Amino acid sequence: IQYFIQTFDTVKADEFLTRFALLMRSILESSKKKYITLSEEIHQLQLFISLEKVRFENKFDYTIEIDERLDQEYKIPPMIFQPFIENAIGHGLYHLKDRKGTLHIEINAINDSDIEVIVLDNGIGRKAAASLRNKNHKSRGLQIVHERIDTINAMNELHIGAQTEDLWNNEIPAGTKVSIIVSMGKETS
């Protein structure tokens, strides 16, 4: 927003600020709830990713593919998927030099009570991203997410599992894939 203001691009500044305000309002509303609908989470993700795309000057394109069999009224804890997407953008795609980044998100119905969210990027990979990090800065984002998942799982209302896989193309890092499974178990409210 500051960049657009400094460059006198008031139209983009206004557009970015409007989307940012919508995202913040949505996050604040969902943070008061134990569960939100999957459709609410998807809306937040779309806002977040569109802001990141502008922020990172279109260094990446993205797609969100939603299984048509999926009941978007499923209840899930808020902000479960966003940290994984933020990592894909900030650590994997941001540092790409030789190609445009792609972020692909799939949200699939496994059965009536389980969903899988796949976050797939063609970034530089986790090892290269780790080597670029500021050695004085200790990133705790994923640790916090995994602690939150452990807490949610301990409540026994649903189960969330996340698995991360490095992708390779002829021994060259070709991105990262995160699979998140949410097993709904009994009905949440």
Side-chain angles (χ1 to χ4, degrees):
I1 297 168
Q2 184 179 23
Y3 171 77
F4 292 138
I5 292 169
Q6 290 172 346
T7 59
F8 302 102
D9 193 341
T10 56
V11 172
K12 280 190 180 172
D14 184 54
E15 180 183 316
F16 196 91
L17 186 57
T18 299
R19 278 193 267 167
F20 182 73
L22 284 170
L23 178 62
M24 289 301 101
R25 191 173 305 119
S26 180
I27 289 171
L28 288 172
E29 282 298 314
S30 68
S31 71
K32 295 187 283 186
K33 300 175 185 176
K34 186 175 181 180
Y35 296 104
I36 62 172
T37 65
L38 187 57
S39 63
E40 290 172 297
E41 180 81 356
I42 291 168
H43 176 70
Q44 284 182 9
L45 292 176
Q46 290 169 327
L47 280 171
F48 173 75
I49 297 167
S50 69
L51 288 170
E52 290 291 90
K53 184 172 176 166
V54 172
R55 179 176 165 228
F56 290 115
E57 300 172 341
N58 291 312
K59 289 184 78 119
F60 69 93
D61 290 321
Y62 72 95
T63 55
I64 300 177
E65 186 178 326
I66 303 167
D67 187 338
E68 62 188 36
R69 301 171 299 147
L70 192 61
D71 179 359
Q72 292 191 31
E73 295 305 306
Y74 276 143
K75 302 283 186 175
I76 60 170
M79 300 286 291
I80 286 296
F81 312 125
Q82 184 271 344
F84 295 101
I85 293 167
E86 183 176 355
N87 268 15
I89 295 169
H91 299 297
L93 300 176
Y94 176 71
H95 297 289
L96 279 176
K97 303 283 187 240
D98 60 338
R99 63 190 179 273
K100 186 163 187 168
T102 59
L103 175 66
H104 180 71
I105 299 160
E106 287 182 36
I107 306 172
N108 299 307
I110 297 173
N111 54 42
D112 289 343
S113 61
D114 302 335
I115 63 170
E116 178 182 37
V117 176
I118 298 170
V119 179
L120 184 66
D121 72 69
N122 73 334
I124 62 172
R126 292 187 300 167
K127 185 175 180 182
S131 72
L132 294 172
R133 282 192 201 115
N134 180 341
K135 302 302 178 205
N136 296 325
H137 174 72
K138 178 146 172 110
S139 177
R140 290 196 2 96
L142 282 182
Q143 178 186 350
I144 291 168
V145 170
H146 286 288
E147 288 171 3
R148 185 165 171 240
I149 287 172
D150 289 344
T151 300
I152 291 167
N153 289 342
M155 293 172 14
N156 290 322
E157 292 177 356
L158 53 85
H159 180 78
I160 300 172
Q163 181 178 341
T164 304
E165 176 185 349
D166 294 310
L167 304 175
W168 302 88
N169 185 5
N170 296 323
E171 298 184 24
I172 297 171
T176 305
K177 176 183 177 182
V178 178
S179 299
I180 307 150
I181 304 260
V182 180
S183 297
M184 302 300 178
K186 63 182 179 180
E187 184 67 27
T188 57
S189 56

